[in-house]
Amino acid sequence: MSRRPFVLGLTGSIGMGKSTAADMLRDEGLPVWDADAVVHRAYAHGGEAVDLVRDLCPKAVVDGAVDRTRLRDWVQATPGALRQLEAKIHPIVAEDRARFIAAAEADIVVADIPLLFETGAETSVDSVAVVSTDAQTQKERVLSRPGMTEDLFAAILAKQMPDAEKRARADFIIPSKALEPARAAIKNMLANIRKGLPDA
């Protein structure tokens, strides 16, 4: 396929059901690029980010892989550390995304990016879909996760753009309180996107 596919950015705050929506999009036959998975690979033993992290924070590298807990502690304790880290990691992630999109044989490709608005990645996609539910459902989902506390949940939310702002900036909203409305919203969204695509 010579024409570049339509790139749909998928995002949503913690506990909003983004992973479930990504699986539904895969069920629709769409290739889904996962930003988190790329970072995990880059931080793993032999990953391309290991030496870059070692340059910034040697103690965050243990047995040839990035220890995410140590890295997080360093970022939280060091002014400007997050900006330094992002300057090293974002090019790796962006290059991987570009390769994935170029190789995809589909009319629509999904870029699953948790911090899409927070990192300015909305400029690299054609439309943005935000997965969203009510605050109580979100809180119940997150607090049911192993090791999660109210304080940790609050700290994570503080780093993310408020859900209302994400929804205001979205082209599409996928309601995730229940599975069937989410699936229906996804099918409707894809139909609307395809209506606007030029014939292949």
Side-chain angles (χ1 to χ4, degrees):
M1 185 177 284
S2 57
R3 184 166 53 80
R4 174 187 173 278
F6 184 96
V7 182
L8 175 68
L10 180 70
T11 196
S13 299
I14 184 170
M16 288 298 193
K18 183 177 60 60
S19 297
T20 301
D23 286 340
M24 289 179 177
L25 287 158
R26 289 186 184 95
D27 290 345
E28 293 291 327
L30 300 189
V32 177
W33 176 84
D34 182 339
D36 272 354
V38 174
V39 174
H40 276 282
R41 281 200 305 272
Y43 284 171
H45 188 84
E48 57 187 310
V50 175
D51 287 340
L52 300 176
V53 171
R54 187 186 281 115
D55 289 344
L56 292 173
C57 178
K59 68 174 187 273
V61 176
V62 179
D63 296 331
V66 176
D67 182 314
R68 293 174 78 105
T69 303
R70 290 186 178 203
L71 183 63
R72 187 175 63 236
D73 290 346
W74 172 73
V75 166
Q76 290 174 343
T78 312
L82 183 60
R83 194 172 290 112
Q84 291 179 60
L85 181 63
E86 287 175 343
K88 301 274 190 183
I89 303 305
H90 283 177
I92 294 172
V93 174
E95 190 178 313
D96 191 278
R97 182 171 67 233
R99 277 199 304 267
F100 185 94
I101 292 166
E105 296 191 6
D107 57 345
I108 302 170
V109 174
V110 179
D112 177 347
I113 308 175
L115 297 176
L116 182 140
F117 288 121
E118 291 86 345
T119 58
E122 74 271 19
T123 60
S124 64
V125 299
D126 298 311
S127 273
V128 175
V130 168
V131 187
S132 179
T133 190
D134 61 276
Q136 185 59 34
T137 301
Q138 177 192 28
K139 186 174 183 179
E140 287 170 3
R141 286 174 179 168
V142 175
L143 291 181
S144 70
R145 297 180 182 182
M148 184 58 68
T149 64
E150 295 242 8
D151 286 348
L152 184 53
F153 176 43
I156 292 168
L157 278 186
K159 291 196 183 96
Q160 298 186 339
M161 181 182 288
D163 178 58
E165 190 175 340
K166 287 181 179 174
R167 283 189 278 113
R169 294 174 65 174
D171 299 293
F172 303 98
I173 296 170
I174 301 169
S176 70
K177 191 173 176 73
L179 293 176
E180 287 316 308
R183 209 180 301 277
I186 283 172
K187 288 181 181 293
N188 188 47
M189 171 182 71
L190 296 180
N192 281 328
I193 290 172
R194 288 186 167 120
K195 272 184 208 162
L197 292 180
D199 293 331

Coordinates of all heavy atoms in Angstrom, one line a residue, residues 130-183:
V130 N -10.1 9.7 22.8 CA -9.9 9.7 24.3 C -10.9 8.7 24.9 O -12.1 8.7 24.7 CB -10.1 11.1 24.9 CG1 -10.1 11.0 26.4 CG2 -8.9 12.0 24.5
V131 N -10.3 7.7 25.7 CA -11.1 6.8 26.4 C -11.4 7.4 27.7 O -10.5 7.8 28.4 CB -10.4 5.4 26.5 CG1 -11.3 4.4 27.1 CG2 -9.8 5.0 25.2
S132 N -12.7 7.3 28.1 CA -13.1 8.1 29.3 C -14.3 7.4 30.0 O -15.1 6.7 29.4 CB -13.5 9.5 28.9 OG -13.9 10.2 30.1
T133 N -14.3 7.5 31.4 CA -15.4 7.1 32.2 C -15.6 8.1 33.3 O -14.8 9.0 33.4 CB -15.3 5.6 32.6 OG1 -16.5 5.2 33.2 CG2 -14.2 5.5 33.7
D134 N -16.5 7.8 34.2 CA -16.7 8.7 35.3 C -15.6 8.6 36.4 O -15.0 7.5 36.4 CB -18.1 8.5 36.0 CG -18.3 7.1 36.5 OD1 -18.6 6.2 35.7 OD2 -18.0 6.9 37.7
A135 N -15.4 9.6 37.2 CA -14.3 9.6 38.2 C -14.4 8.4 39.2 O -13.4 7.8 39.6 CB -14.3 10.9 38.9
Q136 N -15.6 8.1 39.6 CA -15.8 7.0 40.6 C -15.4 5.6 40.0 O -14.7 4.9 40.6 CB -17.2 6.9 41.1 CG -17.5 5.9 42.2 CD -16.6 6.2 43.4 OE1 -16.4 7.3 43.8 NE2 -16.2 5.1 44.1
T137 N -15.8 5.3 38.8 CA -15.4 4.1 38.1 C -13.9 4.0 37.9 O -13.3 3.0 38.2 CB -16.1 4.0 36.7 OG1 -17.5 4.0 36.9 CG2 -15.7 2.7 36.0
Q138 N -13.3 5.2 37.5 CA -11.9 5.2 37.3 C -11.2 4.9 38.6 O -10.2 4.1 38.7 CB -11.5 6.7 36.9 CG -10.0 6.9 36.7 CD -9.6 8.3 36.6 OE1 -10.3 9.2 37.0 NE2 -8.5 8.6 35.9
K139 N -11.6 5.5 39.7 CA -10.9 5.3 41.0 C -11.1 3.9 41.5 O -10.1 3.3 41.9 CB -11.6 6.3 42.1 CG -10.9 6.2 43.4 CD -11.5 7.3 44.3 CE -10.8 7.3 45.7 NZ -11.3 8.3 46.6
E140 N -12.2 3.3 41.3 CA -12.4 1.9 41.7 C -11.5 1.0 40.9 O -10.9 0.0 41.5 CB -13.9 1.5 41.5 CG -14.8 2.1 42.5 CD -16.3 1.9 42.2 OE1 -16.6 1.2 41.2 OE2 -17.2 2.4 42.9
R141 N -11.4 1.2 39.6 CA -10.5 0.4 38.8 C -9.1 0.5 39.2 O -8.4 -0.5 39.4 CB -10.6 0.8 37.3 CG -11.9 0.4 36.6 CD -11.9 1.0 35.2 NE -13.1 0.7 34.5 CZ -13.5 1.3 33.3 NH1 -12.7 2.2 32.8 NH2 -14.6 0.9 32.7
V142 N -8.6 1.7 39.5 CA -7.2 1.9 39.8 C -6.9 1.4 41.2 O -5.8 0.7 41.4 CB -6.8 3.4 39.7 CG1 -5.4 3.6 40.1 CG2 -7.0 3.9 38.3
L143 N -7.7 1.6 42.1 CA -7.4 1.1 43.5 C -7.5 -0.4 43.7 O -7.1 -0.9 44.6 CB -8.4 1.8 44.5 CG -8.1 3.4 44.7 CD1 -9.0 3.9 45.7 CD2 -6.6 3.6 45.1
S144 N -8.1 -1.0 42.7 CA -8.2 -2.5 42.7 C -6.9 -3.1 42.2 O -6.7 -4.3 42.3 CB -9.3 -3.0 41.9 OG -9.1 -2.8 40.5
R145 N -6.0 -2.3 41.7 CA -4.7 -2.8 41.2 C -3.7 -3.2 42.3 O -3.7 -2.4 43.3 CB -4.0 -1.8 40.2 CG -4.8 -1.5 39.0 CD -4.1 -0.5 38.1 NE -4.9 -0.2 36.9 CZ -4.5 0.7 36.0 NH1 -3.3 1.2 36.1 NH2 -5.3 0.9 34.9
P146 N -2.9 -4.2 42.2 CA -2.0 -4.6 43.2 C -1.0 -3.5 43.5 O -0.5 -2.8 42.6 CB -1.2 -5.8 42.7 CG -2.1 -6.3 41.6 CD -2.9 -5.2 41.0
G147 N -0.8 -3.2 44.8 CA 0.2 -2.2 45.2 C -0.3 -0.7 45.1 O 0.5 0.2 45.4
M148 N -1.5 -0.5 44.6 CA -2.0 0.9 44.4 C -2.5 1.4 45.7 O -3.2 0.7 46.4 CB -3.0 0.9 43.3 CG -3.5 2.3 42.9 SD -2.2 3.5 42.3 CE -1.7 2.7 40.8
T149 N -2.2 2.7 45.9 CA -2.8 3.4 47.1 C -3.4 4.7 46.7 O -3.2 5.1 45.5 CB -1.6 3.7 48.1 OG1 -0.8 4.7 47.5 CG2 -0.8 2.5 48.5
E150 N -4.2 5.3 47.6 CA -4.9 6.5 47.2 C -3.8 7.6 46.9 O -4.0 8.4 46.0 CB -5.7 7.0 48.4 CG -6.9 6.1 48.7 CD -8.3 6.7 48.5 OE1 -8.3 7.9 48.0 OE2 -9.3 6.1 48.8
D151 N -2.7 7.6 47.7 CA -1.7 8.6 47.5 C -1.0 8.5 46.2 O -0.7 9.4 45.5 CB -0.6 8.5 48.6 CG -1.1 9.1 50.0 OD1 -2.2 9.8 49.9 OD2 -0.5 8.9 51.0
L152 N -0.7 7.2 45.8 CA 0.0 6.9 44.5 C -1.0 7.3 43.4 O -0.5 7.9 42.4 CB 0.4 5.5 44.4 CG 1.2 5.1 43.2 CD1 2.4 5.9 43.0 CD2 1.6 3.6 43.3
F153 N -2.2 7.0 43.5 CA -3.2 7.3 42.5 C -3.3 8.9 42.3 O -3.3 9.4 41.2 CB -4.6 6.8 42.9 CG -5.7 7.1 42.0 CD1 -5.6 7.1 40.6 CD2 -7.0 7.5 42.5 CE1 -6.6 7.4 39.8 CE2 -8.0 7.9 41.7 CZ -7.8 7.8 40.3
A154 N -3.3 9.6 43.4 CA -3.3 11.0 43.4 C -2.1 11.6 42.7 O -2.2 12.6 41.9 CB -3.5 11.6 44.8
A155 N -0.9 11.0 43.0 CA 0.3 11.5 42.4 C 0.3 11.2 40.9 O 0.8 12.1 40.1 CB 1.5 10.7 43.1
I156 N -0.2 10.1 40.5 CA -0.3 9.8 39.0 C -1.2 10.8 38.3 O -0.9 11.3 37.3 CB -0.7 8.3 38.8 CG1 0.4 7.4 39.3 CG2 -1.0 8.1 37.3 CD1 -0.1 5.9 39.4
L157 N -2.4 11.0 38.9 CA -3.3 11.9 38.3 C -2.8 13.3 38.2 O -3.0 14.0 37.2 CB -4.6 12.0 39.2 CG -5.7 10.9 39.0 CD1 -6.9 11.2 39.8 CD2 -6.0 10.7 37.5
A158 N -2.0 13.7 39.2 CA -1.4 15.1 39.2 C -0.5 15.3 38.0 O -0.3 16.4 37.6 CB -0.6 15.3 40.5
K159 N 0.1 14.2 37.4 CA 1.0 14.3 36.3 C 0.3 14.3 35.0 O 0.8 14.5 33.9 CB 2.0 13.2 36.3 CG 3.1 13.3 37.5 CD 4.3 12.4 37.2 CE 5.2 12.4 38.3 NZ 5.1 11.4 39.3
Q160 N -1.0 13.9 35.0 CA -1.8 13.7 33.8 C -2.7 14.9 33.6 O -3.2 15.5 34.5 CB -2.6 12.4 33.8 CG -1.7 11.2 34.0 CD -2.5 9.9 33.9 OE1 -3.7 9.8 34.1 NE2 -1.7 8.8 33.6
M161 N -2.9 15.2 32.3 CA -3.9 16.3 32.0 C -5.3 15.9 32.5 O -5.6 14.7 32.3 CB -3.9 16.5 30.5 CG -4.8 17.6 30.0 SD -4.8 17.7 28.2 CE -3.2 18.4 27.9
P162 N -6.1 16.8 33.1 CA -7.4 16.4 33.5 C -8.2 15.8 32.4 O -8.2 16.2 31.3 CB -8.0 17.7 34.0 CG -6.8 18.6 34.3 CD -5.7 18.2 33.4
D163 N -9.0 14.8 32.8 CA -9.9 14.1 31.8 C -10.8 15.0 31.0 O -10.9 14.9 29.8 CB -10.7 13.0 32.5 CG -11.6 12.3 31.6 OD1 -11.1 11.7 30.6 OD2 -12.8 12.3 31.8
A164 N -11.3 16.0 31.7 CA -12.2 17.0 31.0 C -11.5 17.7 29.9 O -12.1 18.0 28.9 CB -12.8 17.9 32.0
E165 N -10.3 18.1 30.2 CA -9.5 18.8 29.1 C -9.2 17.9 28.0 O -9.2 18.3 26.8 CB -8.2 19.3 29.8 CG -7.5 20.3 28.8 CD -6.3 21.0 29.5 OE1 -6.2 21.0 30.7 OE2 -5.4 21.4 28.7
K166 N -8.8 16.6 28.3 CA -8.6 15.6 27.2 C -9.8 15.5 26.3 O -9.7 15.4 25.1 CB -8.2 14.3 27.8 CG -6.8 14.3 28.4 CD -6.4 12.9 28.9 CE -4.9 12.9 29.4 NZ -4.5 11.7 30.1
R167 N -11.0 15.3 27.0 CA -12.2 15.1 26.2 C -12.5 16.4 25.4 O -12.9 16.2 24.2 CB -13.4 14.8 27.2 CG -13.4 13.4 27.7 CD -14.6 13.0 28.5 NE -14.5 13.5 29.8 CZ -15.3 14.4 30.4 NH1 -16.2 15.0 29.6 NH2 -15.2 14.8 31.6
A168 N -12.2 17.5 25.9 CA -12.5 18.8 25.1 C -11.6 18.9 23.9 O -12.0 19.5 22.9 CB -12.2 20.0 26.0
R169 N -10.4 18.3 24.0 CA -9.4 18.3 22.9 C -9.5 17.1 21.9 O -8.9 17.1 20.9 CB -8.0 18.4 23.4 CG -7.8 19.7 24.2 CD -6.4 19.8 24.8 NE -5.3 19.8 23.9 CZ -4.0 20.0 24.2 NH1 -3.7 20.1 25.5 NH2 -3.1 19.9 23.3
A170 N -10.4 16.2 22.3 CA -10.5 14.9 21.5 C -11.3 15.1 20.2 O -12.2 15.9 20.2 CB -11.1 13.8 22.3
D171 N -11.0 14.3 19.2 CA -11.9 14.3 18.0 C -13.0 13.2 18.2 O -14.1 13.4 17.7 CB -11.0 13.9 16.8 CG -10.0 14.9 16.5 OD1 -10.3 16.0 16.1 OD2 -8.8 14.6 16.6
F172 N -12.6 12.2 19.0 CA -13.6 11.1 19.3 C -13.5 10.8 20.8 O -12.4 10.8 21.4 CB -13.3 9.9 18.5 CG -13.3 10.1 17.0 CD1 -12.1 10.3 16.3 CD2 -14.5 10.1 16.3 CE1 -12.2 10.5 14.9 CE2 -14.6 10.3 14.9 CZ -13.4 10.5 14.3
I173 N -14.6 10.4 21.4 CA -14.6 10.0 22.8 C -15.2 8.6 22.9 O -16.2 8.3 22.3 CB -15.4 10.9 23.7 CG1 -14.7 12.3 23.8 CG2 -15.5 10.4 25.2 CD1 -15.6 13.4 24.4
I174 N -14.4 7.7 23.5 CA -14.9 6.3 23.7 C -15.3 6.1 25.1 O -14.5 6.1 26.0 CB -13.8 5.3 23.3 CG1 -13.3 5.5 21.9 CG2 -14.2 3.8 23.5 CD1 -12.0 4.7 21.5
P175 N -16.6 6.0 25.4 CA -17.1 5.8 26.8 C -16.8 4.4 27.2 O -17.1 3.4 26.5 CB -18.6 6.0 26.7 CG -18.9 5.6 25.3 CD -17.7 5.9 24.4
S176 N -16.1 4.2 28.4 CA -15.6 2.9 28.7 C -16.3 2.3 30.0 O -15.7 1.3 30.6 CB -14.1 2.9 28.9 OG -13.8 3.7 30.1
K177 N -17.4 2.8 30.5 CA -18.0 2.3 31.7 C -18.5 0.8 31.5 O -18.4 0.0 32.3 CB -19.2 3.2 32.1 CG -19.7 2.8 33.5 CD -20.7 3.8 34.0 CE -21.3 3.4 35.3 NZ -20.4 3.6 36.4
A178 N -19.0 0.6 30.2 CA -19.4 -0.8 29.9 C -18.9 -1.1 28.5 O -18.6 -0.3 27.7 CB -20.9 -0.8 29.9
L179 N -18.7 -2.5 28.3 CA -18.0 -2.9 27.1 C -18.8 -2.6 25.8 O -18.3 -2.2 24.8 CB -17.8 -4.4 27.2 CG -16.8 -4.9 28.2 CD1 -16.7 -6.4 28.3 CD2 -15.4 -4.3 27.9
E180 N -20.1 -2.9 25.8 CA -20.9 -2.8 24.5 C -21.0 -1.4 24.0 O -20.8 -1.1 22.8 CB -22.3 -3.4 24.6 CG -22.2 -5.0 24.7 CD -21.2 -5.5 23.6 OE1 -21.3 -5.2 22.4 OE2 -20.3 -6.3 24.0
P181 N -21.2 -0.3 24.9 CA -21.2 1.0 24.4 C -19.8 1.4 23.8 O -19.7 2.2 22.9 CB -21.6 1.9 25.6 CG -22.4 0.9 26.5 CD -21.7 -0.4 26.3
A182 N -18.8 0.9 24.5 CA -17.4 1.2 24.0 C -17.2 0.6 22.6 O -16.7 1.3 21.7 CB -16.4 0.7 25.0
R183 N -17.6 -0.6 22.5 CA -17.5 -1.3 21.2 C -18.3 -0.6 20.1 O -17.8 -0.4 18.9 CB -17.9 -2.8 21.3 CG -17.2 -3.7 20.3 CD -17.7 -5.1 20.5 NE -17.6 -5.7 21.8 CZ -16.5 -6.2 22.3 NH1 -15.4 -6.2 21.5 NH2 -16.4 -6.7 23.5

